[in-house]
Amino acid sequence: MRNKSITSGSIWKNMLAFFFALLLGAFFQQLYNTVDAIIVGRAVGSDALGAVGGSAAMVVNLFLGFFLGLSSGATVVISQFYGAGKREEIEKAVHTAIALSIAGGAIISVIGVLISPWLISVMQTPAEQAEAGTMYLRIFFLGMIPNLIYNMGSGILRAVGDSRRPLIVLIISCVVNIILDITFVIGLGLGKKGDVYGVAGVAVATILCQLISALIIMFVLARSTDSYRLYIRKIRFDTDMLSRIIKIGIPAGFQTTTYTLSNTLIQASINSLGKDVASAWAAYGKVDVIFWMTIGSLGTVATTFAGQNFGAGKFDRVRNSTRQALAIASIITIPMSLLFCIYGNVLLGIFVVDQKVIDIGVQMIYYLAPFYITYICVEIFAGVLRGMGDAFVPMMITLVGICVLRVIWILFVFPMHRTVEMIEMSYRVTWCATSILFVIYYFIYIKKHDIYKK
């Protein structure tokens, strides 16, 4: 029953196969968002783009980020039981996870629809974008149940080592979303009727696309012949499984949320330095996302490999997969950093034409890209520790080492020397500090649990 490619055989070869499927999925997710922005920006207008990509996007990221962190708890629990070959526990975990998606989606939908106007207002959204932003949020929240079912279902498949079918569903989702965006916004002419209508068209296209994705994922799980097969009539909460999932998922969800909040403060500080710096930071972010997609995918790989091998009692493979994940991350990150530094001017030129903005962006790349290597320990060790069932301490390390330290830096150090370099330094300092904490804690953990000896 176990996925032999994870619990036996070459670790690095199977890691790479799993990683590239996840990375391709992240690419299509990014393409999904980029096409949305292009269609809204060109067919509706800049205010509509601001409504979808500004405050509304931040709210969506907060809610979704928390639940995706919570769903990682199900991924870890299922991967451990799958590695251990415990069929009954896997069945309970799968049905509890889907029940959590439905219940969580319903709660978020009701709350989200009711408080959308308040959320848009409290984030000081420009008046020209407020009505459209509220409309987008309300429609988006109506689609939360299928959204969460799709993400949870994909997490279940990845937990058992299946990265191919979630990728296929994501590609289908991306294509359908593009077709529906064009149909509603351009074909039906909603983009010409004003920002609210145009944004509504994009939002409806998004939730229809998510509904299709959820149905496909449910079909895939229901047609499975393995222990993770989904039976609709068995979707219910198992108290023990729910407790296990929440124990790991809540810290991960809280960690994602605090990341978003700290980045909001960083953005506000960047904005205070003027529009050229803000534009350069936005353009740099389009380049920077390549690294984050890569390292995020590797973190998921580390979690799955650690989870299944830990559940199977193969602690030597847990240690080896940790080392090899770090090696793969280093081998990818170092050349990527060099390429960014060498071709930064060209890469930024894809997104902006103002040479002054490009020059500022190049400085950002020179300052930050060489330090990407210091962050890989954070992602890999956090993933491995979660895979072994420890989510609380990694959350606290990340919260203190990155979020709290970064907030302190911006509030107290940055005002003494208000330059973009001082903001950038907060990343260098927090990446290095958090990596050191994770290295120390990882070795303490495996020694305390005698994983060295097993």
Side-chain angles (χ1 to χ4, degrees):
M1 183 195 67
R2 298 175 192 166
N3 188 316
K4 298 298 184 181
S5 67
I6 290 180
T7 56
S8 64
S10 171
I11 293 176
W12 70 269
K13 288 181 181 178
N14 295 315
M15 270 191 165
L16 284 177
F18 196 44
F19 160 68
F20 283 121
L22 292 177
L23 183 61
L24 192 56
F27 168 77
F28 274 98
Q29 184 65 58
Q30 191 63 33
L31 178 64
Y32 185 123
N33 297 331
T34 301
V35 171
D36 264 1
I38 291 171
I39 292 174
V40 171
R42 291 185 176 274
V44 185
S46 58
D47 283 335
L49 178 60
V52 173
S55 300
M58 187 66 68
V59 172
V60 167
N61 288 339
L62 279 172
F63 277 85
L64 272 184
F66 178 79
F67 188 85
L68 290 177
L70 182 59
S71 69
S72 72
T75 300
V76 170
V77 170
I78 292 168
S79 68
Q80 288 185 353
F81 285 138
Y82 194 77
K86 297 181 178 180
R87 298 185 68 93
E88 185 178 347
E89 285 82 356
I90 294 169
E91 181 179 307
K92 289 179 182 178
V94 166
H95 291 91
T96 298
I98 297 298
L100 181 59
S101 300
I102 296 171
I107 293 170
I108 294 174
S109 290
V110 172
I111 295 174
V113 169
L114 291 175
I115 69 171
S116 288
W118 176 77
L119 290 170
I120 290 295
S121 173
V122 80
M123 295 189 73
Q124 299 182 340
T125 306
E128 298 85 355
Q129 301 173 7
E131 186 180 1
T134 301
M135 175 65 76
Y136 181 84
L137 275 186
R138 279 183 158 162
I139 295 174
F140 186 88
F141 279 126
L142 288 174
M144 285 305 294
I145 291 178
N147 190 326
L148 301 190
I149 287 175
Y150 161 71
N151 282 293
M152 185 67 83
S154 295
I156 291 170
L157 291 173
R158 294 189 186 104
V160 300
D162 183 354
S163 57
R164 182 179 61 86
R165 286 185 291 183
L167 172 60
I168 292 172
V169 176
L170 185 56
I171 292 172
I172 294 171
S173 175
C174 184
V175 172
V176 170
N177 185 70
I178 293 171
I179 293 172
L180 291 178
D181 273 350
I182 295 172
T183 300
F184 290 144
V185 178
I186 300 175
L188 298 180
L190 292 179
K192 295 180 180 179
K193 293 184 178 181
D195 292 348
V196 175
Y197 282 98
V199 165
V202 171
V204 170
T206 298
I207 65 172
L208 286 176
C209 170
Q210 290 165 350
L211 177 60
I212 292 170
S213 300
L215 291 174
I216 296 174
I217 282 290
M218 292 280 280
F219 177 78
V220 169
L221 291 173
R223 295 286 292 177
S224 171
T225 58
D226 209 333
S227 54
Y228 55 90
R229 181 172 182 173
L230 178 69
Y231 296 91
I232 303 300
R233 68 181 184 278
K234 292 185 178 181
I235 296 176
R236 63 178 65 89
F237 288 112
D238 179 270
T239 306
D240 178 58
M241 287 302 161
L242 182 61
S243 176
R244 287 172 180 263
I245 290 170
I246 288 176
K247 182 181 177 181
I248 298 172
I250 289 290
F254 185 66
Q255 177 179 318
T256 303
T257 302
T258 53
Y259 252 125
T260 304
L261 292 173
S262 67
N263 286 338
T264 302
L265 182 60
I266 291 286
Q267 185 64 57
S269 301
I270 287 288
N271 291 343
S272 72
L273 298 178
K275 66 181 184 67
D276 286 339
V277 174
S279 297
W281 188 255
Y284 166 68
K286 299 295 184 183
V287 177
D288 183 55
V289 74
I290 299 172
F291 169 71
W292 296 109
M293 287 193 304
T294 302
I295 197 64
S297 298
L298 281 169
T300 302
V301 171
T303 299
T304 303
F305 272 70
Q308 282 203 31
N309 285 295
F310 186 82
K314 296 187 176 183
F315 302 107
D316 59 325
R317 285 184 68 85
V318 174
R319 298 193 304 273
N320 288 334
S321 63
T322 303
R323 288 193 290 267
Q324 293 186 40
L326 285 169
I328 292 170
S330 301
I331 291 169
I332 293 174
T333 298
I334 294 172
M336 183 185 295
S337 300
L338 288 173
L339 287 172
F340 284 0
C341 290
I342 295 170
Y343 296 105
N345 196 64
V346 176
L347 293 170
L348 292 167
I350 296 173
F351 304 100
V352 290
V353 295
D354 188 326
Q355 190 57 48
K356 183 178 179 181
V357 172
I358 291 175
D359 290 343
I360 297 172
V362 168
Q363 181 276 331
M364 292 172 175
I365 291 176
Y366 286 163
Y367 213 86
L368 292 175
F371 277 77
Y372 287 159
I373 191 69
T374 65
Y375 183 81
I376 65 174
C377 287
V378 176
E379 195 71 34
I380 301 302
F381 283 126
V384 169
L385 289 163
R386 276 196 297 270
M388 291 189 289
D390 184 359
F392 180 75
V393 176
M395 178 203 73
M396 292 304 300
I397 292 175
T398 305
L399 179 63
V400 174
I402 288 185
C403 300
V404 174
L405 183 55
R406 195 171 290 173
V407 168
I408 291 173
W409 186 279
I410 293 300
L411 291 178
F412 298 102
V413 180
F414 171 63
M416 294 188 293
H417 193 55
R418 299 180 65 84
T419 65
V420 68
E421 290 84 0
M422 191 58 67
I423 294 174
E424 293 162 348
M425 182 61 74
S426 70
Y427 285 85
R428 288 183 172 186
V429 170
T430 54
W431 290 345
C432 291
T434 310
S435 287
I436 292 169
L437 290 174
F438 264 111
V439 171
I440 293 171
Y441 179 68
Y442 170 77
F443 285 106
I444 290 174
Y445 183 90
I446 61 175
K447 184 176 181 179
K448 179 181 178 181
H449 292 80
D450 292 328
I451 293 175
Y452 262 135
K453 302 175 183 178
K454 296 177 180 178

